[in-house]
Amino acid sequence: MKSLLALVFTSVSLHAATSTDWPRFLGPTGAAIVAESKTPLKWSDSENIVWKAEMPGPGSSSPVVFGDKVFITCWTGYGDKEGANDIGKLTRHLVCLNRADGKIVWDAKVPTAAAEDPWQGFITEHGYATHTPVTDGEHVYVFFGKSGALAFDMTGKQLWQTSCGTGSGRMRWGSGASPVLVGDLLIVNASDEAQAIIGIDKKSGKIVWKAEGEFGMAYGTPNVFQREGVTDLVIAVPQELWGLNPETGKLRWYATHGLSGNVSPSVIPGGDTAYVFGGYPATRSTAIKLGGKGDITANAILWSSNTSSYVPTPILKDGHLYVVNDQGFATCIDAKTGADVYRERVIENNGGGGGGRRGGGKPFYASPVLIGDKLVCVSRKNGAYILAAKPKYELIGHNVLSLDGSQFNGTPAVSGDQLLLRSDKAVYCIGMK
């Protein structure tokens, strides 16, 4: 296998990524940051909608973009509508859209391969298509929980399917972490299915390594950090932050952060520092200096705070961490000290109902995306809020697609001068016509 260090930032295989590509969850670097784009930050049912693509079923995953194609997942057959009560009919879809006009190019259907967690409780908040695809421009890779990881070519032909376990966490909430590519490996967080992080050969589908442990309820997408010529695969699990060798899955270092329960946000990259958010029943956040061997806790914990986010992953910009958390509070934290800069409610009184297909849930599930100096924060049922990314709270705009009353759980993608939103009903391309 080629050196992963040499390939980690060029893992788009033979096909070079461009500024219009958004090949994975939270964008090319897993930071959800776009330095420059002319994407309009004002839209409505009749304004700045380039196209709308109706989906076969609902989903909470994000769109990804490569070249002239948009990829999105959804599910049908069970729990997607009234009367769909036969779990054996659950089918996942990987849908390819034409980026220019939103027309469906192909729809690859994947029947359920194992008994999934039933449509009840928290799983109704996100469903069975929560994992965002990842692409290298040559193939598209998906993770469908107990149905495993799969690879498709760009015409929709399935190349392989690999089981990543069929277990369930004690809460039976399903799973939601997205796969990532590191060199020739597809990395899957299968903490719910197998209590393992799994490295899979992206060409053959064979499992190369498994990092196992008792760490269920780790729902975040792994991220990649480079420091002093070393590449670490970093993931937050309950109580600890792990730094793994991505070639072997071996644990290089760990730090005890103390966030208990489920840890859902992805780790935020900040040079040689990782920022960890999440936890339950109390959410917390912490900054951890990377590097070293073994237990690095004593010298690595830079600060800890009670200000946090339960599901949405924050944005790091100019020394500050920004997020609209699941409860609808916009927060800004000083990334150096952990001190609160502001905390302002965006949605009053849960906005008249924040989400959840059964009427429960919190108002925000999607993570913010930074475009230039503005944050795009998509709520489940109350539209998208545009905030200034500066250490003084400023609400710039509020955009609502009133004709779509379904949930918007997916984090947006940015492709050139266009923004891609997904709801349970459709994918929307926001841009100048």
Side-chain angles (χ1 to χ4, degrees):
M1 184 179 295
K2 296 179 181 178
S3 169
L4 290 176
L5 177 60
L7 289 174
V8 67
F9 289 117
T10 56
S11 59
V12 292
S13 188
L14 303 176
H15 303 260
T18 69
S19 61
T20 62
D21 295 324
W22 190 271
R24 54 153 286 180
F25 181 58
L26 299 181
T29 64
I33 293 175
V34 178
E36 185 175 348
S37 173
K38 296 179 181 178
T39 299
L41 296 179
K42 183 179 180 182
W43 62 85
S44 67
D45 296 320
S46 59
E47 182 180 16
N48 290 329
I49 304 294
V50 179
W51 51 256
K52 172 185 176 182
E54 298 283 349
M55 289 290 97
S60 297
S61 58
S62 300
V64 298
V65 184
F66 204 101
D68 61 356
K69 295 179 173 62
V70 177
F71 302 99
I72 190 74
T73 62
C74 61
W75 93 90
T76 58
Y78 173 66
D80 58 317
K81 57 187 177 182
E82 291 297 326
N85 300 321
D86 184 352
I87 196 170
K89 294 182 179 179
L90 174 63
T91 299
R92 269 62 165 243
H93 300 248
L94 173 62
V95 180
C96 175
L97 305 175
N98 185 326
R99 186 186 175 281
D101 58 17
K103 292 182 178 179
I104 294 179
V105 180
W106 48 261
D107 177 359
K109 301 176 180 65
V110 180
T112 187
E116 283 288 352
D117 299 308
W119 182 252
Q120 62 187 27
F122 190 79
I123 204 166
T124 66
E125 297 294 314
H126 66 95
Y128 301 102
T130 307
H131 324 79
T132 295
V134 61
T135 180
D136 56 12
E138 184 177 12
H139 300 123
V140 187
Y141 306 89
V142 294
F143 177 48
F144 285 149
K146 296 172 184 49
S147 290
L150 300 92
F152 296 84
D153 68 16
M154 300 302 264
T155 69
K157 178 184 177 182
Q158 182 178 315
L159 304 176
W160 52 257
Q161 182 172 5
T162 299
S163 175
C164 296
T166 59
S168 293
R170 62 184 179 85
M171 303 300 292
R172 305 208 74 178
W173 285 344
S175 65
S178 302
V180 294
L181 287 166
V182 184
D184 289 330
L185 291 181
L186 180 73
I187 309 296
V188 173
N189 173 5
S191 66
D192 201 65
E193 295 79 9
Q195 294 201 25
I197 313 299
I198 301 175
I200 302 172
D201 186 293
K202 72 175 187 178
K203 296 178 181 178
S204 67
K206 294 182 179 179
I207 293 177
V208 176
W209 55 257
K210 276 187 178 182
E212 298 177 295
E214 295 183 4
F215 63 94
M217 305 187 81
Y219 296 107
T221 297
N223 221 329
V224 177
F225 288 68
Q226 279 197 320
R227 52 173 184 83
E228 300 176 353
V230 177
T231 301
D232 286 329
L233 181 71
V234 180
I235 184 168
V237 304
Q239 302 290 345
E240 293 180 343
L241 182 71
W242 291 357
L244 306 174
N245 180 337
E247 296 188 34
T248 65
K250 299 294 184 182
L251 185 68
R252 285 178 171 150
W253 53 262
Y254 68 94
T256 301
H257 54 60
L259 277 66
S260 60
N262 42 307
V263 181
S264 298
S266 298
V267 177
I268 301 103
D272 63 354
T273 302
Y275 300 93
V276 183
F277 284 65
Y280 185 84
T283 56
R284 302 183 70 247
S285 59
T286 186
I288 299 174
K289 186 175 177 61
L290 304 179
K293 294 182 179 180
D295 186 351
I296 65 170
T297 307
N299 298 315
I301 305 298
L302 303 178
W303 55 257
S304 293
S305 169
N306 290 326
T307 299
S308 191
S309 171
Y310 183 59
V311 174
T313 298
I315 296 282
L316 175 65
K317 176 177 170 54
D318 296 337
H320 293 87
L321 291 152
Y322 299 92
V323 71
V324 178
N325 66 20
D326 56 296
Q327 297 176 337
F329 284 95
T331 63
C332 174
I333 299 175
D334 186 312
K336 185 176 182 180
T337 65
D340 285 4
V341 177
Y342 68 68
R343 184 175 187 267
E344 300 285 346
R345 180 176 284 280
V346 173
I347 297 180
E348 291 294 336
N349 298 322
N350 203 18
R357 292 178 178 83
R358 301 299 170 86
K362 302 293 186 179
F364 280 81
Y365 191 89
S367 300
V369 170
L370 178 68
I371 301 177
D373 59 357
K374 296 177 179 62
L375 297 159
V376 179
C377 307
V378 179
S379 73
R380 278 175 153 167
K381 301 281 285 186
N382 297 283
Y385 296 81
I386 312 301
L387 305 180
K390 61 182 182 181
K392 181 180 180 181
Y393 178 72
E394 181 183 352
L395 176 62
I396 296 171
H398 180 207
N399 305 312
V400 177
L401 297 174
S402 61
L403 297 180
D404 189 338
S406 68
Q407 291 192 123
F408 285 72
N409 281 340
T411 297
V414 182
S415 176
D417 293 332
Q418 296 178 331
L419 179 76
L420 295 172
L421 298 176
R422 82 85 47 93
S423 72
D424 275 343
K425 289 184 176 180
V427 175
Y428 297 86
C429 178
I430 310 298
M432 300 295 292
K433 290 187 178 181

